[in-house]
């Protein structure tokens, strides 16, 4: 390869390198600090979305973030202190359940934006898997 070809190849590769890293450095990650009264029992991230659920087992509340945890809002459809357990659906990443110590429980079909009630005839059994799911 002639010397001028090597020089041109070096210049083009250097330019491509600088453009690539100049572009990726513009996408620096953002972070925020949020404070809660209690440490989360668990944080649940819905797959392939920015939605996150935080279950405060001490106060029995569910908090929802629609922006990867930058801001949080208590789930207004669930009364204060009612959330005993949080269970995600293993086959549908839009669905999750909040079980309570009563006959009324809550379900979301939109990754925590809204919660609707459902009733069962018996109280929840505190076992490892209180709900059973099918893939259909």
């Amino acid at each position: 390869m002639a010397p001028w070809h090597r020089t041109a190849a070096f210049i083009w590769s250097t330019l491509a390198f600088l453009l690539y890293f100049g572009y990726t450095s513009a996408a620096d990650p953002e972070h925020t600090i949020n404070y809660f009264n209690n440490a989360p029992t668990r944080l649940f991230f819905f797959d392939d979305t920015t939605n996150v659920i935080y279950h405060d087992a001490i106060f029995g509340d569910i908090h929802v973030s629609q922006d990867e945890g930058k801001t949080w809002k208590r789930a207004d459809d669930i009364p204060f202190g009612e959330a005993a357990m949080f269970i995600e659906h293993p086959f549908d990443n839009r669905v999750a359940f909040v079980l309570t110590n009563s006959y009324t429980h809550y379900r979301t079909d939109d990754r925590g934006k809204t919660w609707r009630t459902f009733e069962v005839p018996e109280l929840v059994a505190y076992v490892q898997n209180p709900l059973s799911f099918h893939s259909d």
Side-chain angles (χ1 to χ4, degrees):
M1 188 184 274
W4 66 272
H5 282 41
R6 280 187 234 139
T7 304
F10 174 74
I11 290 172
W12 280 111
S13 63
T14 304
L15 182 62
F17 177 81
L18 292 174
L19 285 174
Y20 174 76
F21 283 106
Y23 175 75
T24 58
S25 68
D28 288 334
E30 297 178 25
H31 67 277
T32 59
I33 297 174
N34 293 289
Y35 295 95
F36 295 99
N37 291 328
N38 300 300
T41 304
R42 65 184 297 209
L43 288 172
F44 174 72
F45 293 81
F46 287 95
D47 290 338
D48 302 324
T49 69
T50 60
N51 298 30
V52 186
I53 301 283
Y54 154 64
H55 177 211
D56 182 345
I58 305 294
F59 287 160
D61 288 326
I62 296 290
H63 299 272
V64 181
S65 173
Q66 306 291 330
D67 57 5
E68 299 175 331
K70 293 180 186 104
T71 60
W72 292 90
K73 181 179 179 247
R74 201 186 70 72
D76 293 332
D77 299 330
I78 302 172
F80 285 98
E82 291 287 315
M85 291 178 169
F86 173 80
I87 299 171
E88 75 274 6
H89 194 290
F91 306 114
D92 190 343
N93 75 337
R94 294 168 303 177
V95 179
F97 300 89
V98 171
L99 302 181
T100 68
N101 291 321
S102 70
Y103 299 101
T104 303
H105 308 287
Y106 299 88
R107 169 189 171 124
T108 182
D109 293 314
D110 54 10
R111 299 179 180 103
K113 291 178 187 168
T114 59
W115 297 84
R116 60 186 170 107
T117 62
F118 67 96
E119 305 268 334
V120 295
E122 299 293 329
L123 294 175
V124 171
Y126 280 91
V127 295
Q128 184 173 358
N129 296 315
L131 297 178
S132 178
F133 297 93
H134 301 280
S135 59
D136 293 341

